[in-house]
Amino acid sequence: MTGEAVTGRRLPDGWGFLVLPLVAFLLVVFVHPLISVLARSLSDPEPGLGNYAAFFDSPVYLDVLVNTFVVAGLVTLVTLVLGFPYAYLMTLATPFWRGVLMAAVLVPFWTSLLVRTFAWVLILRDTGVVNEVIGALGGQPVPLLRNLAGVLIGMVQVMLPFAVLPIYATMRGVDRRLLQAAEGLGARPAFAFWRVYAPLTLPGVAAATLLVFVSSLGFYVTPALLGGPQNVMIGELIVQQLSGVLRWGFASALAVILLVVTGVLLLLAARVVDLRRMIGGGR
Amino acid sequence: MNETGGSVDVLGVGKTYGQAVALDDVTLHVEPGEFMTLLGSSGSGKSTLLNVVAGFTRPTSGSVTVDGRDITHDPPYKRDLGMVFQHYALFPHMSVAENVAFPLRRRRVRGAELTRRVDEALDVVELGGLRDRRPAQLSGGQQQRVALARAIVFRPRVLLMDEPLGALDKRLREQLQLEIKRLHTELGITFVFVTHDQDEALTMSDRIALLRDGRVVQVGTPADLYDRPASRYVAEFLGESNLLPAANDSEALLVRPQDVRLSRPGADLPAGDHAHDGKVTEVIYLGSGLRVEVELRSGGRLIARTGTRLDPVPRPDDEVVVHWRQQDCVTVPA
Ligand SMILES: Nc1ncnc2c1ncn2[C@@H]1O[C@H](COP(=O)(O)OP(=O)(O)OP(=O)(O)O)[C@@H](O)[C@H]1O
Ligand SMILES: [Mg+2]
C-alpha cells in the first residue's frame, strides 16, 4: 500500500538536521502562541480556572459554542451536497468545461473574503437582487440577511472549493469502467453508482468533511456580517471579548475550549476513518 | 449441443465513429454452447463487436439477438450476459466473496443460497481459500479468476470475454487457457472470446471468426482456417506460411513450414512430390526443431521446419531440394 511506503520513507543518516528550520518555525509561530494563549487563560486577570468557570456558568456562552458546531455542521452538510455532484460533473465534462467549472470554484477563492461577504450583503438584503426577482415574480420578500440563511449562504460559498477539490481529486482516480462492469453484471446505472462508484470516493468525501467542518468552526467575518444576534459563533465572541470588552483572559479560555473540543472531535473521527491515509494523500 | 447455452446472432451490424468505420456489416451466428473466438489484429473491431453484444456500444446499424430475442435496444443490465474484461474490473472496496456475490444480490438471491452459490463459483475457479481477500491482495491470475467466478455465478447463458488473459505472462496465460476451456466444457454455456493471439484462438475455440478492418473475413473451425484459409490474409495471419506463385495470377499456393521436407540434390524424391531447388540462407535451432530458410532458385524464399536429427544437419549455403506432398499444399485466392 502506498500509505505505508510514504510513512516508511526516511532521511538518510546524518541529514536529520535539515528539519531543524521547520521545527524552529513551528515552535515560533505555532507552539509558542498556543502556550501563551493557554497561559493567559489560566492567569489573566488572576491565576486559576476562573475564566473556564465563567464560561460554563453562563448558558449564553455554551449556547454560542453549541451554535458554532450546529452552523459548522450545517455548512458542511450543504457544502457536501453541492460539492459532490459538482465534482462529479467535473469528471464528466470535456477538458474545456472542466476548466470553466474549476475556475468557477477557484475564482472566489482568490478574491478578498471581506469583499465577497459585503457583496453577499448587497445581493441578499431585502432590496437586493434576489428579493427584487422574487418581488417581480409576485412573491413576498424573503429575509436572507441577519439570520442563519445568510450565514449558511456566505460560508458555503467560501467552503465550496475545500469540498470540491479533494472530492474531485479522489473521483479522478476512480476507474469509470467499473460502472460499466457493474451494469454488465445486472446493476441499474443508479445502483451501480451508489454501490460501486460512490464508496470509492469516500476518502475524498471524508477529507472534505473534516476540512470544511474544522475550518467552519473558526469563521468570524461571515457570521458577523451576514448573521443575526441568534447566530453568534465562537469566533465572533472571541473578537468581541478581545477588542470590545478587553477580557483577554476569557477570550483565551474560549480559544482553548474551541481547540480542545475540535481536537476531541477529530480524535473521534479518527476512530472511524483513517486520518493519516487521508491527509497523506493515499488512495 | 447443450441446453444451457444461448445462441447469439449478429445481423448486419455496423458501427461508425464519425468518419471511422469500426464495424462494417458484420453478420455472425454463434451456436448454443459453442466456444466462438473473435480473432483479429489490433483495431480490427473485436472489442467493438463484443461491446455491441454486451450492450456497452450502440451499433449504428443492424441487430443482435440472443436465443432469437432481439436485444439490440436493451441496456446492458437487462441482457443477462456474463462479461470478463482484460482489466478485470473487480470492485476494489469489496472482498472476493462480495465481488462474486454482486450479480446475485442484483437478482435478489439472499442468505444461505447466496453463500452456497458464491462458494460454488469460487470452487469452480479454485479460489475457495481466498474469499475474504481484497482484489489488491491477489495476483493478476487470481484476480482474473475472481472476475470469471463473478461472471458465471449468476448462470448466464452466454459468457463474453475481451482478451481476459492479455495482461498475464505466458505461462499463466497457457494455464488459464486450459482452465477456461475446462470451464466451458463443465458449464456448457456459450463463450464468445476475444483475442489477438492466434495460438490462443487455435487452442481454445470450436470456431474462429477472423476480423479485419471491421469485417469478418472467415468463420470456421481452427482446422478450416489453418488448412483451408479463404484468403491470403487468413493464411498469413494464422501460423507461419509459405505462399508461392500458382499457375494463374489470381491464386497462390500455400504450404505450411512443417510440411516442407529437405533433401540433398540428386536424392530420390517420393513420386508426385512438388520439388524446388534452392540454397539454405539461415538455420535457427528452436529446441523442438529447426527453422530453415531457403532461397529458391526460381526466386522467393521459403521456410521449412524440420526435426533436429536430420542427416546431415543443413547449414547456410548448402544446396538443397525442398519438396512436399501434393495433398499438403492448397490453393488460396490471392
Ligand atoms: N470510442 C471510439 N471512438 C472512436 N473510434 C473508436 C472508438 N472505439 C473504437 N474505435 C475505433 O474502432 C476500431 C476498432 O476498435 P476496437 O477497439 O474494436 O479494436 P480491437 O480489435 O478490439 O483492437 P485491440 O486488439 O487493440 O483491442 C479502431 O480503429 C478504433 O480506433
Ligand atoms: Mg480490444
Side-chain angles (χ1 to χ4, degrees):
Chain A
M1 292 236 127
T2 49
E4 272 127 38
V6 170
T7 46
R9 194 179 299 157
R10 302 196 53 217
L11 280 173
D13 286 342
W15 292 87
F17 70 89
L18 282 178
V19 303
L20 285 179
L22 179 66
V23 171
F25 181 79
L26 286 178
L27 279 176
V28 171
V29 306
F30 204 69
V31 179
H32 171 257
L34 264 184
I35 290 174
S36 55
V37 165
L38 182 64
R40 194 182 283 273
S41 76
L42 295 168
S43 62
D44 184 1
E46 59 201 31
L49 292 170
N51 287 318
Y52 295 92
F55 178 85
F56 289 105
D57 274 351
S58 161
V60 178
Y61 298 136
L62 269 178
D63 280 353
V64 170
L65 186 65
V66 170
N67 180 62
T68 304
F69 279 87
V70 169
V71 171
L74 284 174
V75 168
T76 309
L77 192 71
V78 177
T79 310
L80 287 179
V81 166
L82 295 177
F84 188 89
Y86 194 96
Y88 187 61
L89 201 62
M90 279 174 63
T91 65
L92 298 183
T94 59
F96 173 77
W97 284 109
R98 187 176 311 139
V100 171
L101 289 170
M102 183 66 105
V105 266
L106 286 186
V107 165
F109 213 27
W110 297 324
T111 45
S112 144
L113 177 63
L114 209 56
V115 172
R116 261 192 292 168
T117 311
F118 274 116
W120 278 120
V121 173
L122 296 182
I123 293 169
L124 297 177
R125 64 186 171 177
D126 287 351
T127 53
V129 190
V130 175
N131 274 315
E132 268 178 13
V133 171
I134 292 175
L137 296 173
Q140 292 295 313
V142 184
L144 293 170
L145 218 50
R146 310 255 154 271
N147 59 17
L148 185 60
V151 179
L152 285 186
I153 292 173
M155 286 178 66
V156 165
Q157 194 226 2
V158 177
M159 295 316 306
L160 206 53
F162 294 96
V164 169
L165 294 180
I167 295 177
Y168 171 67
T170 313
M171 283 179 170
R172 242 183 13 180
V174 177
D175 187 352
R176 290 193 57 80
R177 295 176 301 184
L178 294 177
L179 283 173
Q180 205 177 52
E183 283 175 46
L185 294 167
R188 286 169 182 278
F191 184 89
F193 186 85
W194 287 114
R195 281 285 285 139
V196 174
Y197 192 87
L200 293 172
T201 64
L202 271 186
V205 172
T209 306
L210 270 188
L211 220 53
V212 173
F213 186 75
V214 172
S215 315
S216 298
L217 289 173
F219 261 63
Y220 156 63
V221 173
T222 312
L225 290 177
L226 301 178
Q230 303 86 25
N231 320 109
V232 178
M233 291 181 73
I234 199 159
E236 294 175 80
L237 186 60
I238 292 173
V239 173
Q240 183 197 348
Q241 295 296 319
L242 267 181
S243 56
V245 293
L246 299 178
R247 285 170 73 191
W248 284 42
F250 186 60
S252 303
L254 290 175
V256 171
I257 289 169
L258 178 62
L259 188 69
V260 169
V261 177
T262 310
V264 168
L265 279 178
L266 278 183
L267 282 180
L268 288 179
R271 298 186 70 106
V272 185
V273 292
D274 189 348
L275 278 187
R276 224 180 14 178
R277 211 172 63 163
M278 226 160 66
I279 299 167
R283 294 280 312 271
Chain B
M1 278 166 103
N2 197 301
E3 293 147 355
T4 55
S7 68
V8 180
D9 276 283
V10 174
L11 293 170
V13 162
K15 175 70 191 176
T16 53
Y17 291 102
Q19 297 293 327
V21 180
L23 289 177
D24 183 6
D25 194 23
V26 171
T27 295
L28 186 66
H29 169 74
V30 186
E31 290 283 328
E34 189 173 31
F35 196 124
M36 170 65 86
T37 295
L38 308 179
L39 177 66
S41 57
S42 185
S44 57
K46 310 177 295 287
S47 296
T48 308
L49 181 54
L50 200 75
N51 285 329
V52 165
V53 176
F56 298 134
T57 300
R58 196 167 275 279
T60 318
S61 59
S63 66
V64 179
T65 65
V66 169
D67 289 330
R69 193 171 66 87
D70 189 333
I71 57 164
T72 318
H73 301 290
D74 286 357
Y77 61 88
K78 283 196 181 155
R79 297 194 178 195
D80 239 14
L81 308 172
M83 176 96 189
V84 177
F85 302 87
Q86 177 175 358
H87 55 92
Y88 317 137
L90 296 179
F91 306 134
H93 58 302
M94 298 182 194
S95 70
V96 165
E98 284 164 349
N99 264 283
V100 178
F102 186 88
L104 292 178
R105 287 189 197 284
R106 288 317 299 141
R107 290 167 176 79
R108 316 215 174 283
V109 181
R110 298 261 143 80
E113 165 82 353
L114 180 80
T115 320
R116 190 182 61 73
R117 285 178 62 180
V118 168
D119 287 346
E120 199 178 278
L122 284 174
D123 283 344
V124 169
V125 296
E126 288 159 9
L127 278 186
L130 301 180
R131 56 196 320 286
D132 296 322
R133 293 260 194 106
R134 290 289 164 120
Q137 299 167 317
L138 301 177
S139 71
Q142 289 169 334
Q143 291 189 41
Q144 198 53 293
R145 274 181 242 227
V146 176
L148 267 172
R150 188 178 67 173
I152 58 171
V153 70
F154 60 101
R155 299 177 190 147
R157 291 163 56 76
V158 178
L159 180 60
L160 310 174
M161 288 181 270
D162 192 351
E163 306 212 27
L165 310 179
L168 305 175
D169 65 48
K170 191 164 176 289
R171 282 179 73 115
L172 201 54
R173 202 160 66 216
E174 282 165 4
Q175 185 191 339
L176 271 166
Q177 282 172 6
L178 297 179
E179 278 185 42
I180 290 175
K181 196 68 196 133
R182 170 179 63 82
L183 210 60
H184 175 248
T185 323
E186 267 176 39
L187 300 172
I189 64 179
T190 310
F191 278 33
V192 182
F193 185 95
V194 166
T195 182
H196 62 255
D197 180 337
Q198 34 133 342
D199 289 327
E200 196 163 283
L202 291 172
T203 337
M204 302 182 75
S205 325
D206 291 326
R207 284 198 302 155
I208 298 173
L210 184 64
L211 274 78
R212 180 191 190 186
D213 296 338
R215 291 167 170 274
V216 176
V217 290
Q218 189 173 1
V219 188
T221 64
D224 284 341
L225 268 72
Y226 191 80
D227 295 333
R228 291 172 291 283
S231 67
R232 210 184 159 99
Y233 181 81
V234 180
E236 286 178 333
F237 196 90
L238 287 156
E240 253 181 333
S241 51
N242 296 304
L243 286 159
L244 303 167
N248 76 46
D249 270 355
S250 64
E251 291 180 330
L253 275 183
L254 166 69
V255 54
R256 296 291 182 181
Q258 65 272 26
D259 295 326
V260 176
R261 318 265 168 92
L262 298 178
S263 294
R264 269 183 277 192
D268 278 344
L269 302 182
D273 269 19
H274 291 234
H276 295 265
D277 293 333
K279 191 164 88 176
V280 174
T281 52
E282 189 184 57
V283 180
I284 295 173
Y285 178 78
L286 298 169
S288 58
L290 297 178
R291 181 180 181 280
V292 183
E293 198 174 292
V294 177
E295 196 173 286
L296 300 182
R297 184 153 321 142
S298 56
R301 279 167 193 282
L302 192 142
I303 312 253
R305 279 175 181 270
T306 67
T308 52
R309 315 229 190 282
L310 281 190
D311 181 33
V313 171
R315 296 161 187 252
D317 292 333
D318 283 357
E319 296 285 339
V320 287
V321 178
V322 290
H323 56 108
W324 53 85
R325 300 183 303 172
Q326 166 68 34
Q327 65 264 40
D328 286 339
C329 71
V330 287
T331 31
V332 175

